[in-house]
Amino acid sequence: MARDRRRLRAWLLAGLVLAVVLALYEADRTGVGEPSAGPCPDSALQCPEPGHGPGPHPTSSPSDSPSSADPSATGGPSPSASPAPPSASPSSPPAPGTGGAPPTGPCASPGACGFPDARTTGPRIGLERHDTGNMSVKTDGTVIRGWDIHGSLDVYANDVTVIDSRITSANWWGINLRPGYSGLRVLHTTITAVPGKGPDNGGVDYAVSNMGGSSIEVGWCDVSVFGNALSMGQGDLHDNYVHDIAAFRNQGGEWQHTDAVISGGGNRGRLTVRHNTLLNPVPVDQGASAAIGLFADTGSVSSVVVDGNWLAGGAYALYGGGPGATGIQVTDNVFSTQYHVNGGAYGHVTAWNEGGAGNVWRGNRTADGRPVVPAPAS
C-alpha cells in the first residue's frame, strides 16, 4: 500500500512538472508575459519588423534594399507588384493608442500626454541611401519603401505611396503632388532639409504640398525645417510631428511666413487635421504665422476638421478661416505655452467665425486644463 502511495505521488509530481513546462512553452510561443510591440495601424502598409520600433533608425546595409527598383534617369522606382490599399476613411475610429480626444488633465509635454513626437513618427525599418536629386515620379501605383532619399519627389502619377522612408530635400518641397493626380499617401516618413541649402534664398517652403484637386494622406511623419510644412486645401493629416521650423528671408528679402499646417482656402474637398503635434517656434518678427493657418487667400475656407491636436507657437496658434468660413469644426485641441503664454504671441486663436454655418468650437483647452474660447469678432 505504501509503495502504491509513493507511486501515485510520483505520477502527480510528474504531471505537475509537465503542466508547468507546457504553460511556459505556450507563454513563450504566444508572447504572453512579454511587452507588446504595440498595434499596427490598419492604414499602414506593413507592421514594424522585429527589432524595429517606431522612430528613426540607422541607415541599413545594401542587403536591406527596398522592393522597388533604383530610380533611373527618366523613370523612378518601379510600381509595387501589389497596389497600395485605399486610405482609411477620416471618419473611421483611430487605432488603439492614437487619435481621439486628448486627456482632460494638465499636460507637461506632447509625448507625455499621448501626442506624436520623435518616438512615434518616422520610419520603422532600416533605410538604404538613394541620391535621387529632384526626382519626378510618373508611374501610377509606385510604392517607395525603406529609402533614405537625398533629393525631393515631384509626383505626376496616381496612387503613389511613400512609406517608412526619409527625405532630405534642397528643393522648394520635399514631396509635391501635381494638379490632375490623386491618391498620394505619405506614411511613417521623416521629411526634412538643410537650412541655408534651399532654392528660396537658402530656404525651403513645403514639406508636403498638394497642388492636386483631391485629398492626400500624411500620417505618422516627422517633419521639420520647411517654412509652410504641410500645405494643402484638402487632405487627411494625422499623427504627425511638425517641429523646428526654420525661419528664412525669401527671394524678395522678406521673412517667409511660417506655418506647421497651412491652407489657402477655396478647397473643394475636406481637410482633416487630427491628432498631430504642430509646433511653430519661429519668432513673430521673423515671419511666424500659426501652428494651423486657415487663410482665405484663394477663396473661402470650408469643410475643415481640426481635432485633438497639440498646438504651439505662431502669431496666433490657430487662424480660424475668417468671416466667410463655414463647416469648420475645432474640437478637443490642446494649446501649449511652450513658446508663448497664450499659445501664440498674440493669442490662442483669431479669425474665428462664430456664426458661420456648421462652425463648431468645443472642448479646446490650454495644456494646464483651462478652456480656450475665441474672442468675439470685432
Side-chain angles (χ1 to χ4, degrees):
M1 182 67 69
R3 185 172 60 185
D4 291 340
R5 285 198 296 271
R6 286 196 298 271
R7 183 179 299 153
L8 178 60
R9 284 197 296 270
W11 279 107
L12 290 174
L13 180 59
L16 179 61
V17 171
L18 179 61
V20 171
V21 170
L22 289 173
L24 291 174
Y25 170 79
E26 183 66 17
D28 181 69
R29 185 178 68 85
T30 60
V32 175
E34 297 179 357
S36 170
C40 182
D42 291 339
S43 57
L45 297 184
Q46 66 180 38
C47 291
E49 297 177 358
H52 295 290
H57 299 283
T59 300
S60 69
S61 65
S63 62
D64 294 325
S65 61
S67 59
S68 50
D70 287 346
S72 66
T74 58
S78 300
S80 170
S82 58
S87 171
S89 168
S91 62
S92 61
T98 64
T104 56
C107 282
S109 68
C113 287
F115 291 91
D117 61 12
R119 298 170 300 173
T120 59
T121 55
R124 305 162 296 177
I125 62 176
L127 307 180
E128 179 177 308
R129 178 161 175 156
H130 288 262
D131 293 312
T132 65
N134 302 327
M135 184 177 77
S136 294
V137 180
K138 298 183 177 181
T139 303
D140 289 352
T142 295
V143 175
I144 296 174
R145 178 188 285 113
W147 285 26
D148 181 6
I149 296 172
H150 289 250
S152 64
L153 300 178
D154 204 3
V155 179
Y156 294 84
N158 298 311
D159 303 320
V160 171
T161 298
V162 181
I163 185 168
D164 287 314
S165 295
R166 177 183 175 91
I167 295 173
T168 305
S169 173
N171 199 0
W172 297 92
W173 54 74
I175 304 176
N176 180 46
L177 179 66
R178 289 288 178 170
Y181 300 95
S182 63
L184 175 64
R185 307 177 74 212
V186 185
L187 308 174
H188 299 285
T189 292
T190 294
I191 309 170
T192 189
V194 180
K197 298 296 185 181
D200 195 356
N201 196 30
V204 286
D205 290 82
Y206 311 110
V208 182
S209 171
N210 183 6
M211 298 174 66
S214 67
S215 179
I216 70 176
E217 181 183 4
V218 182
W220 303 285
C221 289
D222 183 322
V223 180
S224 61
V225 181
F226 291 88
N228 286 302
L230 302 177
S231 174
M232 60 198 67
Q234 49 263 332
D236 181 11
L237 312 179
H238 63 87
D239 302 286
N240 301 294
Y241 174 44
V242 181
H243 60 101
D244 293 308
I245 293 173
F248 65 92
R249 294 185 186 272
N250 59 26
Q251 291 180 343
E254 301 174 338
W255 287 107
Q256 167 70 29
H257 288 285
T258 62
D259 304 87
V261 172
I262 185 171
S263 177
N267 53 299
R268 297 181 180 179
R270 168 164 291 194
L271 174 62
T272 300
V273 185
R274 176 171 284 129
H275 196 244
N276 304 277
T277 298
L278 304 173
L279 310 179
N280 187 348
V282 175
V284 173
D285 61 0
Q286 295 182 16
S289 291
I292 298 180
L294 306 179
F295 303 112
D297 294 336
T298 57
S300 297
V301 180
S302 63
S303 191
V304 178
V305 173
V306 178
D307 175 65
N309 302 282
W310 177 283
L311 309 177
Y316 290 88
L318 172 67
Y319 278 77
T326 58
I328 314 299
Q329 302 175 37
V330 182
T331 55
D332 296 323
N333 297 283
V334 174
F335 291 77
S336 168
T337 60
Q338 181 172 349
Y339 306 117
H340 307 287
V341 67
N342 291 318
Y346 304 135
H348 299 104
V349 56
T350 190
W352 174 250
N353 181 17
E354 184 177 4
N359 289 352
V360 175
W361 184 278
R362 182 181 64 245
N364 302 294
R365 63 183 182 84
T366 62
D368 61 3
R370 293 174 289 116
V372 173
V373 180
S378 56

